[in-house]
């Protein structure tokens, strides 16, 4: 009987606690009718908190728990919920309250327990030192700040799920659905996981979160470099024109080398890479909010080769422009 300990932290979304229990409940419901090479034991779970007291979710809901987080308790997997807070840096700057949780995570990993988290939960695993040298993903909007804070982590920000050395990470918030299915896959069998996905209408084939990225919500959007902000506005106004770093440098009265460095510090990418991201973001907006053809979208965001644009769009978002429009048209 696989036991999953759900470690709930204050300010997590309630769904981050409820979703895994719902998926495990569905797995228990389907297991007797799903063909398998061996009998699947029912999943069990416990909800636990740092101090054994109920946790307050981001919406203010009070969730009762079954006990206190303990790094020495037997478990097949630990499910770490993710804090949903406006100022994550402030939360992480107070290591005292998190110390028992981080220590328990390290101890469970040393025991060989599977550890699964999603979204900003990856920050907690990184704080515990469990992601150094390992692959991880996190919410797309936090990728830049995560990489800056934890340079030793092999961040794969595009991916919905990563797995290495018994640590599973999910991307943006609802990746917890795919993450819970992965636990069903690993602790029971792939066939049961697929049956649960069908029952609960969960897309198991999500591999990239790039198509959901909104540049305005990324962690670098609030940077305080006035010169880079001027450069960004200039790039937006001249989106359809061929890019010239020399013209951009002249506009902000800065050498190309200095601008390149300041850009990387402020937005986590050099000017040309950021421009490509911006062009794809505007293309996504045009596809979702207008009915103009893909050729016209290509021209409006500064590309002249429609074939090249289609390839670039699919590489950056994981889907073709037409498919993006079908999914996100408002």
């Amino acid at each position: 009987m696989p036991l999953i300990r759900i470690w709930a932290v204050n300010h997590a979304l309630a769904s981050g606690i409820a979703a895994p229990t719902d998926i495990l409940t569905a797995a228990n419901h389907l297991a007797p009718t799903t063909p398998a090479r061996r009998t699947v034991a029912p999943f069990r779970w416990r909800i636990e908190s740092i101090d054994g007291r109920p946790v307050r979710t981001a919406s203010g809901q009070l969730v009762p728990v079954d006990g206190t987080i303990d790094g020495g308790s037997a478990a097949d997997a630990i499910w770490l919920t993710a804090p949903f807070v406006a100022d994550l840096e402030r939360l992480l700057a107070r290591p005292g309250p998190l110390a028992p949780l981080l220590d328990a995570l390290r101890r469970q990993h040393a025991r060989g327990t599977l550890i699964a988290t999603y979204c900003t939960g990856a920050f907690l695993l990184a704080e515990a030192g469990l992601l150094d040298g390992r692959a991880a993903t996190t919410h797309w909007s936090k990728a830049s700040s995560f990489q800056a804070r934890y340079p030793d982590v092999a961040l794969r920000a595009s991916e919905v799920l990563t797995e290495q050395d018994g640590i599973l990470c999910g991307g943006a918030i609802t990746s917890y659905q795919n993450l819970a299915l992965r636990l069903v896959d690993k602790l029971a069998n792939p066939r049961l996981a697929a049956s649960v996905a069908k029952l609960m209408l969960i897309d198991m084939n999500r591999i990239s979160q790039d198509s959901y990225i909104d540049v305005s919500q990324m962690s670098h959007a609030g940077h305080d470099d006035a010169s880079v902000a001027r450069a960004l506005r200039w790039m937006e106004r001249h989106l359809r024109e061929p890019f010239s770093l020399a013209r951009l440098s002249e506009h902000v009265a800065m050498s190309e080398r200095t601008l390149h460095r300041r850009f990387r510090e402020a937005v986590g990418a050099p000017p040309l890479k950021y421009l490509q991201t911006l062009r794809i973001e505007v293309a996504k907006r045009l596809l979702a909010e207008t009915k103009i053809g893909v050729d016209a979208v290509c021209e409006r965001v500064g590309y002249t080769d429609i074939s090249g644009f289609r390839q670039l769009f699919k590489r950056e978002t994981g889907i073709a422009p037409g498919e993006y429009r079908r999914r996100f048209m408002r």
Side-chain angles (χ1 to χ4, degrees):
M1 297 177 68
L3 173 62
I4 292 88
R5 295 186 182 274
I6 298 172
W7 286 3
V9 299
N10 282 311
H11 309 299
L13 291 175
S15 57
I17 302 170
T21 65
D22 288 342
I23 288 172
L24 295 175
T25 297
N28 287 345
H29 174 75
L30 290 174
T33 62
T34 301
R37 293 181 180 177
R38 58 182 174 82
T39 302
V40 177
F43 286 99
R44 298 176 297 135
W45 56 86
R46 286 173 54 88
I47 301 173
E48 299 168 340
S49 67
I50 294 174
D51 57 9
R53 297 177 181 176
V55 293
R56 181 79 62 180
T57 68
S59 61
Q61 186 177 351
L62 203 61
V63 177
V65 301
D66 302 310
T68 304
I69 287 171
D70 182 354
S73 297
D76 293 282
I78 300 296
W79 177 278
L80 177 63
T81 59
F84 187 76
V85 294
D87 192 344
L88 187 59
E89 293 293 331
R90 182 179 179 185
L91 175 69
L92 298 176
R94 301 174 59 225
L98 293 175
L101 171 64
L102 304 184
D103 179 66
L105 287 167
R106 287 188 286 264
R107 292 173 62 194
Q108 285 287 357
H109 185 255
R111 290 169 56 93
T113 307
L114 282 174
I115 297 178
T117 193
Y118 58 93
C119 195
T120 56
F123 283 77
L124 300 179
L125 292 188
E127 286 292 314
L130 295 180
L131 295 181
D132 287 352
R134 295 189 172 104
T137 188
T138 188
H139 195 291
W140 52 260
S141 71
K142 301 294 184 184
S144 294
S145 58
F146 185 96
Q147 191 71 88
R149 188 179 180 96
Y150 311 111
D152 294 330
V153 179
L155 182 65
R156 299 176 182 171
S158 295
E159 297 187 20
V160 172
L161 289 181
T162 60
E163 179 179 352
Q164 186 175 354
D165 298 336
I167 297 178
L168 293 82
C169 293
I173 301 164
T174 61
S175 68
Y176 53 50
Q177 297 175 334
N178 302 79
L179 188 65
L181 288 174
R182 180 66 65 85
L183 288 183
V184 174
D185 182 328
K186 295 183 72 66
L187 299 177
N189 60 72
R191 197 162 187 173
L192 179 57
S195 295
V196 173
K198 292 174 182 176
L199 179 72
M200 303 189 75
L201 205 64
I202 300 172
D203 182 1
M204 291 188 72
N205 296 316
R206 292 196 299 175
I207 59 172
S208 173
Q209 51 181 347
D210 285 346
S211 59
Y212 297 87
I213 290 175
D214 180 347
V215 171
S216 67
Q217 295 185 40
M218 296 183 76
S219 54
H220 61 62
H223 70 84
D224 56 2
D225 190 319
S227 294
V228 172
R230 284 182 61 210
L232 294 178
R233 290 193 294 270
W234 186 91
M235 292 168 78
E236 291 171 5
R237 290 195 304 269
H238 297 82
L239 198 62
R240 302 170 81 161
E241 303 171 13
F243 178 68
S244 167
L245 184 59
R247 285 183 63 199
L248 183 59
S249 299
E250 182 180 353
H251 176 72
V252 294
M254 188 182 298
S255 72
E256 293 183 20
R257 173 177 287 188
T258 300
L259 178 60
H260 195 277
R261 175 179 57 80
R262 296 266 288 272
F263 235 85
R264 293 191 69 93
E265 291 172 351
V267 304
L272 187 57
K273 174 60 178 174
Y274 180 83
L275 177 63
Q276 177 178 292
T277 301
L278 179 62
R279 283 173 164 166
I280 294 299
E281 176 65 19
V282 173
K284 286 160 55 179
R285 196 180 310 143
L286 290 171
L287 289 167
E289 298 177 1
T290 74
K291 295 182 179 180
I292 63 175
V294 174
D295 288 17
V297 170
C298 171
E299 189 272 332
R300 284 201 189 185
V301 297
Y303 293 107
T304 56
D305 179 1
I306 182 63
S307 177
F309 168 72
R310 289 179 185 274
Q311 292 176 16
L312 175 64
F313 190 94
K314 186 169 185 177
R315 188 178 75 228
E316 293 298 312
T317 68
I319 55 178
E323 176 62 21
Y324 186 90
R325 169 164 277 165
R326 282 189 290 273
R327 288 193 192 184
F328 297 101
M329 186 74 177
R330 298 170 187 171

